[in-house]
Amino acid sequence: MEKLTGLKKIRTAVFISGTGTNLKNLIKFSKLKKSPISINLIISNTNKAKGLKYADQFGIKKKIFNFLKNNDVEKNILAFLINHKISFICLAGFMKILSKNFIKKFNGKIINIHPSLLPKYKGLNTHKRAIKNLDKFTGCTVHYVTAKLDSGKIIMQIKIKIAAKDNTTSLTKKVLKKEHELYPAAIMKIFN
Ligand code: GRF
């Protein structure tokens, strides 16, 4: 990944589908002088994503793309990203799988955060599975996005202890807190 030159930050889009706590955290991080990225676009596949409120709150452009009604949706997203001079994408709770073709267009420039110690527990319900398997540890991972779900090169991970009294709710909370440390740290690692 290219080194930062001067003060220009890398124009970044964050893709969300839900609550957007990682989005909010990334926006706050992006405003720090040390941040290599600026958040210039928020993309969602649904207008129900609670995190969209942060677009208004922080004055960032948002756009919803309907994946169900539109065969050309990825083409439209790509055009929109190019139009807004976006060169980096952070997925943060984005619940749609991007095609090989889309990923190729942003080769090595899309990253994702996942609530498990990848390669363990790709996909959904990671905390439920970790508890069911009586795992002693879980964690979160930031990785490059490839055409294979949750399988791209790992950038950074944080390991978190699972307490005997943990349930999916407590674990989700615990892991999310660490995700908010990890995502900015992984971005710093990529660009510095
Ligand atoms: C996080 O747990 C993230 O790891 C996963 O989806 C969740 C999104 O949470 N990919 P939020 O919307 O950022 O609060």
Side-chain angles (χ1 to χ4, degrees):
M1 197 69 58
E2 68 264 37
K3 285 254 174 200
L4 261 191
T5 48
L7 289 171
K8 235 173 163 228
K9 295 192 177 188
I10 294 148
R11 290 178 63 84
T12 300
V14 182
F15 286 32
I16 62 164
S17 302
T19 324
T21 66
N22 277 290
L23 165 66
K24 184 184 180 197
N25 182 60
L26 283 180
I27 295 171
K28 288 195 161 168
F29 164 69
S30 73
K31 292 182 183 299
L32 302 178
K33 200 168 167 218
K34 69 172 184 185
S35 166
I37 63 163
S38 58
I39 311 277
N40 303 90
L41 262 189
I42 296 165
I43 304 263
S44 178
N45 62 306
T46 166
N47 59 12
K48 298 212 163 54
K50 289 209 180 91
L52 285 169
K53 69 177 181 217
Y54 298 119
D56 305 327
Q57 198 171 310
F58 291 96
I60 299 170
K61 195 176 181 88
K62 65 172 183 228
K63 178 98 175 156
I64 293 136
F65 287 90
N66 190 335
F67 277 66
L68 296 175
K69 284 194 186 150
N70 185 350
N71 286 331
D72 283 337
V73 66
E74 284 195 343
K75 241 162 101 187
N76 296 339
I77 297 176
L78 269 175
F80 197 74
L81 294 172
I82 290 163
N83 233 321
H84 289 81
K85 299 191 165 51
I86 296 297
S87 48
F88 193 62
I89 298 172
C90 295
L91 306 184
F94 185 62
M95 298 303 282
K96 290 286 169 191
I97 295 175
L98 296 165
S99 74
K100 209 181 200 161
N101 193 42
F102 183 97
I103 292 164
K104 223 164 69 194
K105 296 266 165 50
F106 268 82
N107 197 11
K109 302 221 153 106
I110 311 177
I111 64 172
N112 180 43
I113 187 153
H114 184 77
S116 81
L117 282 175
L118 288 174
K120 219 170 175 184
Y121 306 133
K122 296 169 184 173
L124 297 175
N125 302 316
T126 55
H127 302 319
K128 198 172 155 190
R129 288 188 274 161
I131 288 172
K132 191 169 166 233
N133 288 340
L134 304 175
D135 289 357
K136 294 266 180 286
F137 292 94
T138 183
C140 43
T141 305
V142 173
H143 64 92
Y144 287 104
V145 172
T146 61
K148 227 170 141 204
L149 184 70
D150 299 328
S151 299
K153 187 172 170 236
I154 291 170
I155 300 157
M156 264 180 116
Q157 277 185 326
I158 296 181
K159 194 172 173 183
I160 300 154
K161 201 163 170 28
I162 303 178
K165 61 175 185 343
D166 268 328
N167 53 35
T168 50
T169 312
S170 67
L171 207 52
T172 302
K173 227 167 141 182
K174 220 189 236 180
V175 175
L176 255 185
K177 211 170 148 201
K178 289 293 177 191
E179 289 185 34
H180 299 161
E181 286 172 28
L182 182 68
Y183 220 161
I187 292 168
M188 291 294 285
K189 185 178 170 192
I190 292 171
F191 291 107
N192 289 306

